[in-house]
């Protein structure tokens, strides 16, 4: 069928969300055995839906509030003998389902119903972006985008955020070099994560006897080995933004490395080291008179599917190792291998920060560090903040939704 | 030995932290085979430490910054042929260890060394508090403490926070009924978690046509089934504070239930339901024109040890179930069982909020809800915020450290 055959979008039944569901196929037939509704589409595909699933996802006002689109009717309150008494096609291409014992007939949007078919395998409901692992042969510099465009245009922002999820790092150039630019960019994405380092934090040398100097090694001019921030927390921050305001010192080069690529390299090359970095838990512990955050985790945390989901490498905040006696030397061997790779030529991407550069990176994947700098020679100032991966993913979904709506319009 | 035999605390070697390490035993002998240092204590206990572990945890300024107590020397930079050439007792009871090939001798604090012995099994380095599961027979009301005392006295605060970690809920009474009291209490603990609902949020009825009314079902006067907040996020908030400022309506009773106790009940009574609530993933998805947070998780998330670590029950923010076809009805059966228990007489603790009550609860364990209220009859206003479990645990550790220091002094 051609697009001119379609009824206008506003004619479709409501959906239990604020999303946009292009209708690319129409149902050709619908039938039921009481428990399952079977829909045959105009391209021959057959989709099956359970009665309880259809009833739970009804978009009527007694099930989903029209204001919030949140559930107000709950499936655990439905009759235990819920059944479908009929399933049929309406004239406009939507699907009507009658439920007993309620005696109600509810209508379903065909674009929504087709997209959410779960009977032909799971669909991609999170919209996850698969990571591309990198070393310096693959990626000599961060994927780079124009900062002002990302501040102003949704299309540019979406492109940068998709690259951020794929590579774990992007660089925005020519951002305004003012104190609040990093916050303005962050709020284009979502909510900033507060921490004991503040809502925004300054990375510059602090006077050696100051209160701030006691907070972190980052506030000295020394080198920082590649690391992730706040592995001391159960919830390691998923995203870090670092915005260069000034850089007239010598040294202080940026160092970034893809922890997932390092993990994959270890997995390929040494089973003992792989066991050490994925199975032996370090105790991370911050050092402070005022706080005492601790968390136990291996350097490389694996997800249910056995792939890395996060790196825990705040290696200068390791508390005393507290594991099986026979694992101690293996743990140190794993740490040495991991950190040597992270700082070595193959995996450590290095470059200079220019004023106006903003680096956004996945702090649970990409390690960051710096070479030492000479703070007598000039001034070096970065402004930073933390966020979560989920803020980026939420923004990507909303921007993609808007793109779908524009295309559908 | 008696306490008067001990040298003053200031004489001990430094430790690589800001902690307090009472000396309850002194070493009687120390020896080494080059790779392991073996210490025999005055009570006969034998502790063994690896050379690399001792060297990594040295408290000298080249290894740990005296200002930050963070590592500045790294174990992966140490010579690969690191060995201990001698281990001996100093006159004051500390232990001196000489390392080759560096040719350096480093001293260790006996209280610290004894406490961190890992050769006789792991010690409790996180200071975790074991949960006590509850139903209404066990706990008829939340453990209750005086609010003003918790604001002013560390001992009272510690007692309340320990109860919070054990039971997942506490009630503070007689808090000042002003707009910032919840923030003042939160900041006695640590950092408030920002969210798209704001730094602090108001739970009161919003005009039906307002922008805020579209944000959440919580802003209506209807009943809310027991739930956790923000299961839509990868990082579900670990703590929620709700402070009652006004309550002159009829209804709106508080409902709380221990999700871990409900999970344990299901585990004991029905293997099919247990599989459903722990293995089948719901897709949680918020509904908003501006954000689109999603996360897949079962209702009950198990940790590595097979025990529940969190409940994911923002049941009015379920997106369409997207799992194996044959799991759909099982998932709904699990949800029905879980929510029916959560709202039933055995597990649902109910009480009225009085102005000045502040409920702090573990949002990853304890479900909260309310009965419907009549907002024509009066006004009901709660002020709330989110935090993380790790903030509570950090504060508990710092308060316990201060108590140890007071006792040692």
């Amino acid at each position: 069928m051609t697009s001119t055959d379609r009824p206008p979008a506003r004619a479709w039944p409501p959906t239990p969300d604020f999303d946009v569901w292009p209708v690319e196929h129409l149902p050709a037939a619908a039938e039921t055995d009481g428990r399952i509704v079977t829909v045959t589409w105009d391209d021959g595909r057959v989709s099956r839906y359970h009665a309880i699933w259809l009833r739970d996802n009804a978009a009527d006002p007694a099930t989903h509030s029209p204001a919030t689109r949140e559930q107000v009717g709950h499936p655990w309150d439905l009759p235990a003998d819920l059944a479908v008494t009929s399933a049929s096609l309406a004239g406009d291409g939507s699907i009507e389902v009658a439920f007993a014992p309620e005696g109600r007939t509810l209508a379903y949007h065909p674009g929504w119903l087709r997209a959410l078919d779960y009977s032909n395998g799971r669909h991609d409901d999170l919209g996850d972006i698969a990571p591309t692992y990198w070393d310096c042969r693959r990626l000599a510099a961060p994927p780079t985008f124009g900062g002002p465009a990302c501040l102003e245009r949704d299309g540019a922002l979406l492109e940068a955020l998709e690259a951020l999820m794929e590579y774990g790092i992007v660089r925005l150039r020519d951002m305004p070099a003012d104190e609040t630019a990093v916050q303005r960019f962050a709020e284009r994405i979502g909510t900033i994560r507060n921490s004991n380092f503040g809502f925004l934090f300054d990375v510059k040398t602090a006077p050696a006897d100051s209160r701030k100097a006691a907070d972190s090694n980052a506030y000295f001019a020394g080198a920082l080995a590649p690391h992730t921030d706040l592995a001391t927390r159960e919830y390691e921050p998923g995203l870090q933004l670092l915005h260069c305001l000034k850089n007239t010192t010598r040294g202080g080069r940026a160092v970034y490395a893809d922890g997932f690529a390092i993990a994959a390299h270890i997995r390929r090359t040494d089973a003992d080291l792989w066991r050490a970095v994925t199975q032996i838990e370090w105790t991370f512990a911050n050092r402070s008179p005022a706080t005492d955050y601790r968390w136990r985790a291996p350097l490389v945390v694996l997800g249910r599917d056995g792939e890395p989901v996060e790196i825990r490498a705040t290696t200068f905040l390791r508390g005393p190792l507290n594991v099986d006696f026979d694992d101690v030397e293996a743990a140190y061997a794993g740490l040495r291998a991991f950190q040597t790779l992270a700082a070595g030529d193959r995996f450590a991407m290095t470059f200079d920060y220019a004023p106006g550069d903003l680096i956004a990176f996945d702090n649970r994947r990409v390690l960051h560090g710096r070479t030492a700098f000479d703070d007598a020679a000039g001034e070096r100032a970065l402004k930073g903040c933390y966020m979560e991966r989920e803020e980026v993913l939420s923004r990507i979904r909303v921007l993609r939704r808007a793109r779908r709506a524009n295309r559908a319009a």
Side-chain angles (χ1 to χ4, degrees), chain A:
Chain A
M1 63 183 264
T2 64
S3 65
T4 53
D5 295 333
R6 292 177 197 153
R10 67 181 175 280
W12 299 119
T15 60
D17 52 43
F18 288 99
D19 215 325
V20 175
W21 301 99
V23 176
E24 289 160 358
H25 294 283
L26 287 174
E31 58 179 2
T32 185
D33 65 0
R35 184 177 147 235
I36 308 282
V37 169
T38 302
V39 175
T40 305
W41 301 90
D42 58 15
D43 62 345
R45 180 166 166 176
V46 176
S47 303
R48 296 183 302 145
Y49 307 88
H50 291 84
I52 182 71
W53 187 96
L54 288 165
R55 182 62 190 81
D56 183 31
N57 288 295
D60 68 301
T63 310
H64 284 85
S65 156
T68 63
R69 314 279 170 108
E70 298 176 0
Q71 279 112 346
V72 288
H74 300 301
W76 56 87
D77 291 328
L78 291 171
D81 58 347
L82 176 85
V84 171
T85 52
S86 76
S88 58
L89 306 186
D92 66 357
S94 60
I95 292 152
E96 291 182 343
V97 180
F99 293 91
E102 295 179 284
R104 303 187 59 206
T105 297
L106 296 161
Y108 296 85
H109 182 304
W112 178 90
L113 200 60
R114 167 89 179 206
L116 296 175
D117 171 19
Y118 54 90
S119 66
N120 290 289
R122 291 187 201 176
H123 52 88
D124 171 26
D125 55 0
L126 298 191
D128 278 343
I129 293 171
T132 297
Y133 294 179
W134 53 266
D135 59 17
C136 298
R137 292 179 301 201
R138 179 156 194 143
L139 206 64
T144 299
F145 300 86
C150 290
L151 285 175
E152 288 152 29
R153 291 195 302 106
D154 285 351
L157 179 64
L158 177 57
E159 197 185 351
L161 295 183
E162 287 175 335
L164 172 56
M165 293 313 294
E166 180 177 355
Y167 295 100
I169 184 169
V170 293
R171 175 171 55 187
L172 307 188
R173 285 240 131 129
D174 304 318
M175 288 286 286
D178 65 63
E179 297 275 325
T180 61
V182 67
Q183 180 174 350
R184 294 203 303 281
F185 178 68
E187 291 176 348
R188 285 276 286 159
I189 304 173
T191 301
I192 292 176
R193 171 167 165 172
N194 202 8
S195 81
N196 57 319
F197 293 97
F199 185 72
L200 303 180
F201 50 81
D202 290 293
V203 185
K204 52 188 176 186
T205 50
D209 58 350
S210 67
R211 173 68 190 79
K212 186 173 175 187
D215 278 354
S216 170
N217 285 347
Y219 302 140
F220 293 97
L224 290 176
H227 62 280
T228 63
D229 276 10
L230 303 201
T232 52
R233 312 300 179 89
E234 179 174 7
Y235 288 166
E236 191 178 41
L239 199 69
Q240 187 169 166
L241 308 185
L242 287 174
H243 178 210
C244 179
L245 299 177
K246 286 184 191 163
N247 191 7
T248 56
T249 59
R250 280 192 299 272
R253 280 173 70 79
V255 180
Y256 288 89
D258 182 356
F260 288 180
I262 295 168
H265 175 83
I266 292 174
R267 178 182 234 162
R268 273 195 311 274
T269 54
D270 194 314
D272 289 340
L273 291 176
W274 178 247
R275 186 191 77 83
V277 299
T278 59
Q279 301 303 319
I280 306 177
E281 291 183 347
W282 292 91
T283 301
F284 294 96
N286 80 317
R287 313 295 208 280
S288 167
T291 58
D292 192 344
Y293 298 102
R294 303 186 193 192
W295 194 248
R296 289 180 65 99
L299 286 177
V300 178
V301 179
L302 303 180
R304 288 187 183 204
D305 62 357
E307 296 302 314
V309 291
E310 68 180 10
I311 303 298
R312 293 266 176 176
T314 316
T315 42
F316 53 89
L317 290 179
R318 288 174 298 105
L321 186 64
N322 177 27
V323 297
D324 290 349
F325 188 81
D326 293 334
D327 274 343
V328 169
E329 287 169 329
Y332 278 100
L335 177 66
R336 179 185 287 256
F338 191 91
Q339 290 293 138
T340 302
L341 289 166
D345 288 343
R346 174 163 174 195
F347 289 101
M349 171 199 283
T350 61
F351 55 90
D352 286 310
Y353 290 117
D357 283 359
L358 187 155
I359 309 294
F361 62 97
D362 182 337
N363 180 64
R364 296 165 67 192
R365 169 181 171 187
V366 169
L367 294 86
H368 65 293
R370 69 171 182 230
T371 62
F373 60 94
D374 176 3
D375 61 350
E379 194 179 353
R380 182 180 188 274
L382 305 178
K383 194 99 179 172
C385 67
Y386 297 121
M387 305 186 74
E388 304 305 350
R389 280 182 188 163
E390 57 197 6
E391 301 291 340
V392 181
L393 291 168
S394 167
R395 182 58 48 211
I396 287 174
R397 290 186 198 108
V398 169
L399 293 172
R400 287 177 171 177
R401 186 200 297 173
R403 193 172 60 185
R404 280 198 303 280
N406 286 337
R407 286 178 185 166

